[in-house]
Amino acid sequence: MAQPLVYVDTSDVRQGARGELERAIEELAKFVEANVPEVLAYSVHLSDDGGEMTVVHVHADSASLESHLEAGGPAFRELADLVTLKAIHVYGEPSERALEQLRAKARALGSGQVVVHTRAAGFSRL
């Protein structure tokens, strides 16, 4: 049985970009909701001072993550002038294809760092 994946990325928001970023992430969230029905949950969070953005999404399996990354690729690139990606953390076991997609996204938007956390114990009720 496929196990769910949780994706978390953190980015620094570029100086003076918060207003434009807020508009862009609102559009991105609407795009993901309308175009990637496999995504179980998707949210974008800004720190109180607006200097850091965290994106969290949950997938039933790696195929969902792959679909999300493929569909959202052009939209993610639109954020390149607004943020600098620090790291992507994936909790679960992404496929090799998903890892390649994640690394490409990380290189395009910032540091290139992708960290996979394999589950050691637990359960899912998804």
Side-chain angles (χ1 to χ4, degrees), residues 103-126:
R103 289 180 185 124
K105 177 181 180 180
R107 284 189 304 271
L109 296 177
S111 72
Q113 183 180 8
V114 176
V115 181
V116 176
H117 305 266
T118 303
R119 180 172 34 187
F123 66 92
S124 173
R125 291 192 172 123
L126 294 175

Side-chain angles (χ1 to χ4, degrees), residues 31-44:
F31 173 86
V32 171
E33 184 176 23
N35 293 285
V36 195
E38 301 88 1
V39 175
L40 299 174
Y42 184 89
S43 59
V44 183

Side-chain angles (χ1 to χ4, degrees), residues 3-117:
Q3 295 296 317
L5 295 172
V6 176
Y7 167 107
V8 179
D9 78 34
T10 54
S11 299
D12 288 324
V13 177
R14 299 216 175 149
Q15 190 84 16
R18 183 176 180 158
E20 186 177 350
L21 179 63
E22 287 176 341
R23 289 185 292 280
I25 60 178
E26 182 68 31
E27 290 303 312
L28 180 58
K30 289 177 186 176
F31 173 86
V32 171
E33 184 176 23
N35 293 285
V36 195
E38 301 88 1
V39 175
L40 299 174
Y42 184 89
S43 59
V44 183
H45 307 267
L46 292 173
S47 62
D48 287 344
D49 67 1
E52 184 176 78
M53 177 180 77
T54 302
V55 180
V56 179
H57 35 99
V58 179
H59 301 270
D61 55 26
S62 191
S64 169
L65 177 59
E66 292 171 21
S67 177
H68 169 74
L69 292 167
E70 186 174 323
F76 304 146
R77 285 188 282 284
E78 291 181 17
L79 299 179
D81 292 336
L82 306 174
V83 300
T84 301
L85 184 72
K86 294 191 290 190
I88 296 173
H89 290 260
V90 179
Y91 300 84
E93 296 181 26
S95 68
E96 282 303 315
R97 179 169 183 251
L99 281 172
E100 290 172 18
Q101 291 171 300
L102 291 167
R103 289 180 185 124
K105 177 181 180 180
R107 284 189 304 271
L109 296 177
S111 72
Q113 183 180 8
V114 176
V115 181
V116 176
H117 305 266

